[in-house]
Amino acid sequence: MKNAVVLVSGGMDSAVVLAMARAQGFNVYALSVQYGQRHTSELDAAARVAKELGAAAHKVVNVDLRSIGGSALTDDIDVPEAGGAGIPVTYVPARNTIMLSVALGWAEVLGAADIFCGVNAVDYSGYPDCRPDFIEAFQALANLATKAGVEGAGIKVHAPLQFLSKADIVREGVALGVDFGSTVSCYNADAAGKACGHCDACRLRADGFVDAGVADPTHYA
Ligand code: ZN
């Protein structure tokens, strides 16, 4: 079996990606980055998801983005209610570049040529590092930057949810047996992982269940 590194945040999207990687026959090494997010309940969720969906291992790497701040998720800035124009304050500066870089390093150590992430460019918050051009550019970088890229099989960055709606993601997850009740998407979740129901992440997630015609198993506060 081929090894793959899958970035797992604890949210619904990356849970579905993990299940998709398993369904494609990969031996999955789940990676979560503790970047100083407002709560750790999403990391608890990531550990749960990795176990439930059969990851071979789950690693949490600490990269303290709170020390640079600049986001409602990593600084003393309130998380807004859903809506509003432009790139929202929940954008974490360079987060996906940093997380994919950690995944790239671990992939090289494991001899994995495949990295999976859950970025989505349809029902999303407008973050620049969720766009298809970004994923393509990061893959080019990965192949320039590593021994695996220069001498080995090369690195492929998979973003299988890129062009799916939230409803599509829900349907895919249901088909693959993902227990969405184990996942936490809310930016303001409490210590137990209960969702606020009002933030952008909650709104996108709730709409996805409605549009898919699937009962919403989210634990709300
Ligand atoms: Zn929320």
Side-chain angles (χ1 to χ4, degrees), residues 142-204:
N143 284 294
L144 285 171
T146 58
K147 185 177 177 197
V150 173
E151 293 179 357
I155 300 281
K156 169 98 175 118
V157 180
H158 305 254
L161 309 184
Q162 259 185 135
F163 304 109
L164 300 188
S165 68
K166 270 285 192 244
D168 292 333
I169 294 168
V170 167
R171 287 188 203 99
E172 184 74 27
V174 168
L176 293 171
V178 173
D179 177 2
F180 287 115
S182 290
T183 66
V184 174
S185 302
C186 178
Y187 293 140
N188 262 331
D190 66 14
K194 291 207 165 64
C196 78
H198 303 293
C199 71
D200 221 24
C202 277
R203 184 183 57 81
L204 288 168

Short mmCIF file of all heavy atoms in Angstrom, two decimals, residues 142-204:
data_model
loop_
_atom_site.label_atom_id
_atom_site.label_comp_id
_atom_site.label_asym_id
_atom_site.label_seq_id
_atom_site.Cartn_x
_atom_site.Cartn_y
_atom_site.Cartn_z
N ALA A 142 6.69 22.02 -4.34
CA ALA A 142 7.04 20.78 -3.64
C ALA A 142 8.04 19.96 -4.46
O ALA A 142 8.97 19.37 -3.92
CB ALA A 142 5.78 19.96 -3.37
N ASN A 143 7.84 19.98 -5.78
CA ASN A 143 8.73 19.18 -6.63
C ASN A 143 10.08 19.84 -6.87
O ASN A 143 11.06 19.18 -7.19
CB ASN A 143 8.01 18.83 -7.92
CG ASN A 143 6.99 17.72 -7.69
OD1 ASN A 143 7.35 16.59 -7.38
ND2 ASN A 143 5.72 18.05 -7.78
N LEU A 144 10.12 21.16 -6.69
CA LEU A 144 11.40 21.88 -6.78
C LEU A 144 12.17 21.81 -5.47
O LEU A 144 13.40 21.86 -5.46
CB LEU A 144 11.15 23.36 -7.10
CG LEU A 144 10.76 23.73 -8.51
CD1 LEU A 144 10.33 25.20 -8.55
CD2 LEU A 144 11.93 23.49 -9.45
N ALA A 145 11.42 21.72 -4.36
CA ALA A 145 12.01 21.96 -3.05
C ALA A 145 12.57 20.73 -2.37
O ALA A 145 13.29 20.85 -1.38
CB ALA A 145 10.96 22.62 -2.14
N THR A 146 12.21 19.54 -2.86
CA THR A 146 12.52 18.34 -2.09
C THR A 146 13.39 17.35 -2.86
O THR A 146 13.41 17.32 -4.09
CB THR A 146 11.21 17.60 -1.72
OG1 THR A 146 10.53 17.28 -2.94
CG2 THR A 146 10.32 18.44 -0.83
N LYS A 147 14.06 16.50 -2.07
CA LYS A 147 14.81 15.39 -2.64
C LYS A 147 13.85 14.44 -3.37
O LYS A 147 14.15 13.94 -4.46
CB LYS A 147 15.54 14.65 -1.51
CG LYS A 147 16.44 13.55 -1.98
CD LYS A 147 17.18 12.92 -0.82
CE LYS A 147 18.03 11.76 -1.35
NZ LYS A 147 18.46 10.85 -0.29
N ALA A 148 12.67 14.25 -2.75
CA ALA A 148 11.66 13.37 -3.38
C ALA A 148 11.24 13.91 -4.75
O ALA A 148 10.97 13.14 -5.67
CB ALA A 148 10.43 13.25 -2.47
N GLY A 149 11.20 15.23 -4.87
CA GLY A 149 10.82 15.84 -6.14
C GLY A 149 11.93 15.74 -7.18
O GLY A 149 11.67 15.50 -8.36
N VAL A 150 13.16 15.90 -6.74
CA VAL A 150 14.29 15.95 -7.67
C VAL A 150 14.77 14.55 -8.06
O VAL A 150 15.04 14.28 -9.23
CB VAL A 150 15.45 16.77 -7.04
CG1 VAL A 150 16.70 16.71 -7.91
CG2 VAL A 150 15.02 18.23 -6.85
N GLU A 151 14.84 13.65 -7.06
CA GLU A 151 15.42 12.32 -7.33
C GLU A 151 14.39 11.20 -7.29
O GLU A 151 14.67 10.10 -7.74
CB GLU A 151 16.49 11.99 -6.27
CG GLU A 151 17.72 12.87 -6.33
CD GLU A 151 18.74 12.51 -5.25
OE1 GLU A 151 18.46 11.62 -4.41
OE2 GLU A 151 19.82 13.13 -5.25
N GLY A 152 13.23 11.48 -6.69
CA GLY A 152 12.27 10.41 -6.44
C GLY A 152 11.09 10.43 -7.38
O GLY A 152 11.19 10.88 -8.53
N ALA A 153 9.98 9.95 -6.86
CA ALA A 153 8.77 9.78 -7.68
C ALA A 153 8.01 11.08 -7.88
O ALA A 153 7.04 11.13 -8.62
CB ALA A 153 7.86 8.75 -7.02
N GLY A 154 8.45 12.13 -7.20
CA GLY A 154 7.71 13.39 -7.29
C GLY A 154 6.61 13.43 -6.24
O GLY A 154 6.27 12.42 -5.63
N ILE A 155 6.07 14.61 -6.07
CA ILE A 155 5.03 14.82 -5.06
C ILE A 155 3.75 15.28 -5.76
O ILE A 155 3.79 16.17 -6.61
CB ILE A 155 5.45 15.92 -4.05
CG1 ILE A 155 6.75 15.55 -3.32
CG2 ILE A 155 4.31 16.23 -3.08
CD1 ILE A 155 6.60 14.58 -2.19
N LYS A 156 2.65 14.63 -5.39
CA LYS A 156 1.35 15.04 -5.93
C LYS A 156 0.51 15.61 -4.78
O LYS A 156 0.38 14.96 -3.74
CB LYS A 156 0.68 13.81 -6.56
CG LYS A 156 -0.77 14.02 -6.94
CD LYS A 156 -0.93 14.35 -8.41
CE LYS A 156 -2.41 14.44 -8.80
NZ LYS A 156 -2.82 15.74 -9.28
N VAL A 157 -0.03 16.80 -4.99
CA VAL A 157 -0.92 17.39 -3.98
C VAL A 157 -2.36 17.22 -4.44
O VAL A 157 -2.76 17.73 -5.49
CB VAL A 157 -0.60 18.89 -3.76
CG1 VAL A 157 -1.53 19.48 -2.71
CG2 VAL A 157 0.87 19.07 -3.33
N HIS A 158 -3.11 16.45 -3.66
CA HIS A 158 -4.51 16.17 -4.00
C HIS A 158 -5.42 17.10 -3.20
O HIS A 158 -5.29 17.19 -1.98
CB HIS A 158 -4.90 14.74 -3.62
CG HIS A 158 -4.03 13.67 -4.21
ND1 HIS A 158 -4.44 12.87 -5.25
CD2 HIS A 158 -2.77 13.24 -3.90
CE1 HIS A 158 -3.47 11.99 -5.55
NE2 HIS A 158 -2.45 12.20 -4.74
N ALA A 159 -6.34 17.74 -3.89
CA ALA A 159 -7.35 18.55 -3.21
C ALA A 159 -8.70 18.13 -3.78
O ALA A 159 -9.32 18.86 -4.56
CB ALA A 159 -7.08 20.03 -3.42
N PRO A 160 -9.18 16.93 -3.41
CA PRO A 160 -10.32 16.33 -4.11
C PRO A 160 -11.65 17.05 -3.90
O PRO A 160 -12.62 16.77 -4.60
CB PRO A 160 -10.37 14.90 -3.55
CG PRO A 160 -9.69 14.98 -2.23
CD PRO A 160 -8.63 16.03 -2.37
N LEU A 161 -11.70 17.98 -2.94
CA LEU A 161 -12.96 18.70 -2.69
C LEU A 161 -13.01 20.04 -3.42
O LEU A 161 -13.99 20.77 -3.31
CB LEU A 161 -13.15 18.97 -1.19
CG LEU A 161 -13.00 17.79 -0.25
CD1 LEU A 161 -13.32 18.22 1.17
CD2 LEU A 161 -13.89 16.63 -0.67
N GLN A 162 -11.93 20.37 -4.11
CA GLN A 162 -11.77 21.70 -4.69
C GLN A 162 -13.01 22.24 -5.37
O GLN A 162 -13.38 23.38 -5.18
CB GLN A 162 -10.63 21.67 -5.72
CG GLN A 162 -9.36 22.22 -5.19
CD GLN A 162 -8.27 22.30 -6.24
OE1 GLN A 162 -7.60 23.28 -6.33
NE2 GLN A 162 -8.07 21.25 -7.02
N PHE A 163 -13.62 21.39 -6.20
CA PHE A 163 -14.74 21.89 -7.01
C PHE A 163 -16.09 21.34 -6.56
O PHE A 163 -17.06 21.39 -7.29
CB PHE A 163 -14.47 21.59 -8.48
CG PHE A 163 -13.15 22.15 -8.96
CD1 PHE A 163 -12.09 21.32 -9.24
CD2 PHE A 163 -12.98 23.53 -9.06
CE1 PHE A 163 -10.86 21.85 -9.66
CE2 PHE A 163 -11.77 24.07 -9.46
CZ PHE A 163 -10.70 23.22 -9.77
N LEU A 164 -16.14 20.79 -5.34
CA LEU A 164 -17.40 20.25 -4.83
C LEU A 164 -18.11 21.30 -3.97
O LEU A 164 -17.47 22.07 -3.27
CB LEU A 164 -17.14 19.00 -3.96
CG LEU A 164 -16.46 17.81 -4.62
CD1 LEU A 164 -16.47 16.62 -3.67
CD2 LEU A 164 -17.12 17.43 -5.94
N SER A 165 -19.43 21.28 -4.02
CA SER A 165 -20.21 22.13 -3.12
C SER A 165 -20.21 21.46 -1.74
O SER A 165 -19.85 20.28 -1.60
CB SER A 165 -21.64 22.25 -3.62
OG SER A 165 -22.30 20.99 -3.50
N LYS A 166 -20.64 22.21 -0.73
CA LYS A 166 -20.73 21.62 0.62
C LYS A 166 -21.69 20.43 0.61
O LYS A 166 -21.46 19.43 1.29
CB LYS A 166 -21.21 22.65 1.63
CG LYS A 166 -20.08 23.43 2.29
CD LYS A 166 -19.34 22.60 3.32
CE LYS A 166 -18.43 23.48 4.16
NZ LYS A 166 -17.01 23.22 4.04
N ALA A 167 -22.79 20.57 -0.16
CA ALA A 167 -23.76 19.47 -0.22
C ALA A 167 -23.11 18.22 -0.84
O ALA A 167 -23.32 17.10 -0.37
CB ALA A 167 -24.98 19.89 -1.03
N ASP A 168 -22.30 18.42 -1.89
CA ASP A 168 -21.58 17.29 -2.50
C ASP A 168 -20.65 16.63 -1.48
O ASP A 168 -20.50 15.40 -1.45
CB ASP A 168 -20.71 17.77 -3.67
CG ASP A 168 -21.53 18.26 -4.87
OD1 ASP A 168 -22.66 17.79 -5.03
OD2 ASP A 168 -21.00 19.10 -5.63
N ILE A 169 -20.00 17.46 -0.68
CA ILE A 169 -19.06 16.95 0.32
C ILE A 169 -19.81 16.12 1.37
O ILE A 169 -19.35 15.05 1.77
CB ILE A 169 -18.28 18.12 0.97
CG1 ILE A 169 -17.38 18.78 -0.07
CG2 ILE A 169 -17.47 17.64 2.17
CD1 ILE A 169 -16.79 20.14 0.36
N VAL A 170 -20.98 16.61 1.77
CA VAL A 170 -21.80 15.86 2.72
C VAL A 170 -22.18 14.50 2.13
O VAL A 170 -22.03 13.45 2.77
CB VAL A 170 -23.08 16.66 3.10
CG1 VAL A 170 -24.09 15.76 3.83
CG2 VAL A 170 -22.72 17.87 3.95
N ARG A 171 -22.64 14.51 0.88
CA ARG A 171 -23.06 13.25 0.23
C ARG A 171 -21.89 12.27 0.11
O ARG A 171 -22.03 11.08 0.36
CB ARG A 171 -23.62 13.53 -1.17
CG ARG A 171 -24.99 14.18 -1.15
CD ARG A 171 -25.60 14.27 -2.55
NE ARG A 171 -26.58 15.32 -2.60
CZ ARG A 171 -26.36 16.55 -3.09
NH1 ARG A 171 -25.19 16.86 -3.63
NH2 ARG A 171 -27.30 17.46 -3.06
N GLU A 172 -20.75 12.79 -0.29
CA GLU A 172 -19.55 11.95 -0.42
C GLU A 172 -19.20 11.32 0.94
O GLU A 172 -18.90 10.13 1.03
CB GLU A 172 -18.39 12.82 -0.93
CG GLU A 172 -17.10 12.08 -1.21
CD GLU A 172 -17.13 11.24 -2.48
OE1 GLU A 172 -17.90 11.58 -3.40
OE2 GLU A 172 -16.39 10.23 -2.53
N GLY A 173 -19.24 12.15 1.99
CA GLY A 173 -18.91 11.66 3.33
C GLY A 173 -19.88 10.59 3.79
O GLY A 173 -19.48 9.57 4.36
N VAL A 174 -21.16 10.81 3.54
CA VAL A 174 -22.18 9.83 3.94
C VAL A 174 -21.91 8.50 3.21
O VAL A 174 -21.93 7.43 3.81
CB VAL A 174 -23.60 10.35 3.63
CG1 VAL A 174 -24.64 9.24 3.75
CG2 VAL A 174 -23.94 11.51 4.57
N ALA A 175 -21.60 8.60 1.91
CA ALA A 175 -21.34 7.39 1.11
C ALA A 175 -20.13 6.61 1.64
O ALA A 175 -20.08 5.39 1.54
CB ALA A 175 -21.13 7.76 -0.36
N LEU A 176 -19.17 7.34 2.22
CA LEU A 176 -17.94 6.69 2.70
C LEU A 176 -17.98 6.39 4.20
O LEU A 176 -16.98 5.97 4.78
CB LEU A 176 -16.73 7.58 2.37
CG LEU A 176 -16.42 7.74 0.87
CD1 LEU A 176 -15.34 8.79 0.66
CD2 LEU A 176 -15.98 6.41 0.26
N GLY A 177 -19.13 6.63 4.81
CA GLY A 177 -19.28 6.26 6.22
C GLY A 177 -18.66 7.23 7.22
O GLY A 177 -18.32 6.84 8.34
N VAL A 178 -18.51 8.48 6.83
CA VAL A 178 -17.97 9.47 7.77
C VAL A 178 -19.05 9.84 8.79
O VAL A 178 -20.18 10.12 8.42
CB VAL A 178 -17.53 10.75 7.01
CG1 VAL A 178 -17.13 11.85 7.99
CG2 VAL A 178 -16.38 10.44 6.05
N ASP A 179 -18.68 9.81 10.07
CA ASP A 179 -19.59 10.26 11.12
C ASP A 179 -19.34 11.75 11.35
O ASP A 179 -18.41 12.14 12.07
CB ASP A 179 -19.34 9.46 12.40
CG ASP A 179 -20.22 9.95 13.56
OD1 ASP A 179 -21.03 10.88 13.35
OD2 ASP A 179 -20.08 9.41 14.67
N PHE A 180 -20.19 12.59 10.73
CA PHE A 180 -19.96 14.03 10.83
C PHE A 180 -20.17 14.56 12.25
O PHE A 180 -19.70 15.65 12.58
CB PHE A 180 -20.89 14.78 9.86
CG PHE A 180 -20.47 14.65 8.42
CD1 PHE A 180 -21.28 13.99 7.51
CD2 PHE A 180 -19.27 15.19 7.98
CE1 PHE A 180 -20.90 13.87 6.17
CE2 PHE A 180 -18.88 15.08 6.65
CZ PHE A 180 -19.70 14.42 5.75
N GLY A 181 -20.86 13.77 13.08
CA GLY A 181 -21.02 14.17 14.48
C GLY A 181 -19.70 14.20 15.22
O GLY A 181 -19.57 14.83 16.27
N SER A 182 -18.69 13.53 14.68
CA SER A 182 -17.36 13.53 15.31
C SER A 182 -16.54 14.75 14.92
O SER A 182 -15.48 14.99 15.50
CB SER A 182 -16.57 12.29 14.87
OG SER A 182 -17.13 11.13 15.43
N THR A 183 -17.00 15.51 13.94
CA THR A 183 -16.19 16.61 13.41
C THR A 183 -16.63 17.96 14.01
O THR A 183 -17.77 18.12 14.42
CB THR A 183 -16.30 16.69 11.87
OG1 THR A 183 -17.64 17.06 11.50
CG2 THR A 183 -15.95 15.35 11.22
N VAL A 184 -15.69 18.89 14.05
CA VAL A 184 -15.96 20.24 14.57
C VAL A 184 -15.48 21.25 13.54
O VAL A 184 -14.29 21.29 13.22
CB VAL A 184 -15.22 20.47 15.90
CG1 VAL A 184 -15.38 21.92 16.36
CG2 VAL A 184 -15.71 19.52 16.98
N SER A 185 -16.41 22.04 13.00
CA SER A 185 -16.04 23.04 11.99
C SER A 185 -16.07 24.47 12.53
O SER A 185 -15.45 25.36 11.96
CB SER A 185 -17.02 22.97 10.81
OG SER A 185 -17.05 21.68 10.24
N CYS A 186 -16.79 24.69 13.61
CA CYS A 186 -17.05 26.04 14.13
C CYS A 186 -15.78 26.78 14.55
O CYS A 186 -14.90 26.21 15.17
CB CYS A 186 -17.98 25.92 15.33
SG CYS A 186 -18.34 27.49 16.12
N TYR A 187 -15.71 28.07 14.19
CA TYR A 187 -14.57 28.91 14.60
C TYR A 187 -14.63 29.26 16.08
O TYR A 187 -13.65 29.71 16.66
CB TYR A 187 -14.60 30.24 13.81
CG TYR A 187 -14.35 30.11 12.33
CD1 TYR A 187 -15.07 30.88 11.43
CD2 TYR A 187 -13.36 29.26 11.84
CE1 TYR A 187 -14.83 30.80 10.06
CE2 TYR A 187 -13.13 29.17 10.48
CZ TYR A 187 -13.86 29.94 9.59
OH TYR A 187 -13.63 29.86 8.25
N ASN A 188 -15.80 29.10 16.67
CA ASN A 188 -16.03 29.53 18.05
C ASN A 188 -16.45 28.37 18.94
O ASN A 188 -17.11 28.59 19.95
CB ASN A 188 -17.19 30.55 18.08
CG ASN A 188 -16.68 31.97 18.13
OD1 ASN A 188 -15.60 32.21 18.66
ND2 ASN A 188 -17.44 32.89 17.58
N ALA A 189 -16.11 27.15 18.56
CA ALA A 189 -16.56 25.99 19.33
C ALA A 189 -16.10 26.09 20.77
O ALA A 189 -15.04 26.66 21.05
CB ALA A 189 -16.03 24.71 18.69
N ASP A 190 -16.90 25.53 21.68
CA ASP A 190 -16.49 25.55 23.09
C ASP A 190 -15.53 24.39 23.36
O ASP A 190 -15.19 23.62 22.45
CB ASP A 190 -17.70 25.55 24.02
CG ASP A 190 -18.51 24.25 23.96
OD1 ASP A 190 -18.01 23.24 23.40
OD2 ASP A 190 -19.65 24.25 24.46
N ALA A 191 -15.11 24.27 24.61
CA ALA A 191 -14.10 23.26 24.97
C ALA A 191 -14.56 21.84 24.66
O ALA A 191 -13.75 20.95 24.40
CB ALA A 191 -13.72 23.40 26.44
N ALA A 192 -15.90 21.65 24.67
CA ALA A 192 -16.43 20.31 24.39
C ALA A 192 -16.67 20.09 22.90
O ALA A 192 -17.13 19.04 22.48
CB ALA A 192 -17.73 20.12 25.16
N GLY A 193 -16.37 21.13 22.08
CA GLY A 193 -16.57 20.99 20.64
C GLY A 193 -17.96 21.36 20.18
O GLY A 193 -18.33 21.09 19.03
N LYS A 194 -18.75 21.99 21.05
CA LYS A 194 -20.10 22.40 20.65
C LYS A 194 -20.02 23.68 19.80
O LYS A 194 -19.30 24.61 20.12
CB LYS A 194 -20.97 22.63 21.88
CG LYS A 194 -21.30 21.34 22.62
CD LYS A 194 -22.61 21.46 23.38
CE LYS A 194 -23.16 20.12 23.81
NZ LYS A 194 -22.26 19.44 24.77
N ALA A 195 -20.78 23.67 18.70
CA ALA A 195 -20.69 24.75 17.70
C ALA A 195 -21.58 25.93 18.06
O ALA A 195 -22.64 25.77 18.68
CB ALA A 195 -21.10 24.19 16.34
N CYS A 196 -21.17 27.15 17.60
CA CYS A 196 -21.92 28.37 17.92
C CYS A 196 -23.18 28.52 17.06
O CYS A 196 -24.15 29.13 17.48
CB CYS A 196 -21.02 29.60 17.78
SG CYS A 196 -20.73 30.16 16.06
N GLY A 197 -23.12 27.99 15.83
CA GLY A 197 -24.27 28.09 14.93
C GLY A 197 -24.37 29.39 14.16
O GLY A 197 -25.27 29.55 13.34
N HIS A 198 -23.46 30.34 14.41
CA HIS A 198 -23.59 31.68 13.80
C HIS A 198 -22.43 32.09 12.91
O HIS A 198 -22.57 33.00 12.10
CB HIS A 198 -23.74 32.74 14.90
CG HIS A 198 -24.89 32.49 15.81
ND1 HIS A 198 -26.20 32.55 15.39
CD2 HIS A 198 -24.93 32.13 17.12
CE1 HIS A 198 -26.99 32.25 16.42
NE2 HIS A 198 -26.25 31.99 17.46
N CYS A 199 -21.27 31.49 13.07
CA CYS A 199 -20.10 31.94 12.30
C CYS A 199 -20.16 31.43 10.86
O CYS A 199 -21.01 30.61 10.51
CB CYS A 199 -18.80 31.49 13.00
SG CYS A 199 -18.49 29.72 12.89
N ASP A 200 -19.26 31.93 10.04
CA ASP A 200 -19.19 31.55 8.64
C ASP A 200 -19.08 30.03 8.47
O ASP A 200 -19.76 29.43 7.63
CB ASP A 200 -17.95 32.22 8.03
CG ASP A 200 -18.22 32.77 6.64
OD1 ASP A 200 -19.40 33.05 6.33
OD2 ASP A 200 -17.25 32.92 5.88
N ALA A 201 -18.21 29.42 9.25
CA ALA A 201 -17.98 27.98 9.14
C ALA A 201 -19.26 27.21 9.49
O ALA A 201 -19.62 26.23 8.82
CB ALA A 201 -16.83 27.55 10.04
N CYS A 202 -19.95 27.65 10.54
CA CYS A 202 -21.21 27.00 10.94
C CYS A 202 -22.27 27.15 9.85
O CYS A 202 -23.00 26.21 9.55
CB CYS A 202 -21.74 27.60 12.24
SG CYS A 202 -20.98 26.91 13.73
N ARG A 203 -22.34 28.37 9.29
CA ARG A 203 -23.37 28.63 8.28
C ARG A 203 -23.15 27.76 7.03
O ARG A 203 -24.07 27.12 6.52
CB ARG A 203 -23.35 30.11 7.88
CG ARG A 203 -24.46 30.49 6.90
CD ARG A 203 -24.35 31.94 6.47
NE ARG A 203 -23.06 32.28 5.88
CZ ARG A 203 -22.72 32.04 4.60
NH1 ARG A 203 -23.57 31.45 3.78
NH2 ARG A 203 -21.53 32.37 4.14
N LEU A 204 -21.91 27.71 6.54
CA LEU A 204 -21.60 26.91 5.35
C LEU A 204 -21.90 25.43 5.60
O LEU A 204 -22.45 24.74 4.74
CB LEU A 204 -20.12 27.07 4.98
CG LEU A 204 -19.72 28.42 4.37
CD1 LEU A 204 -18.20 28.56 4.32
CD2 LEU A 204 -20.30 28.57 2.97
#
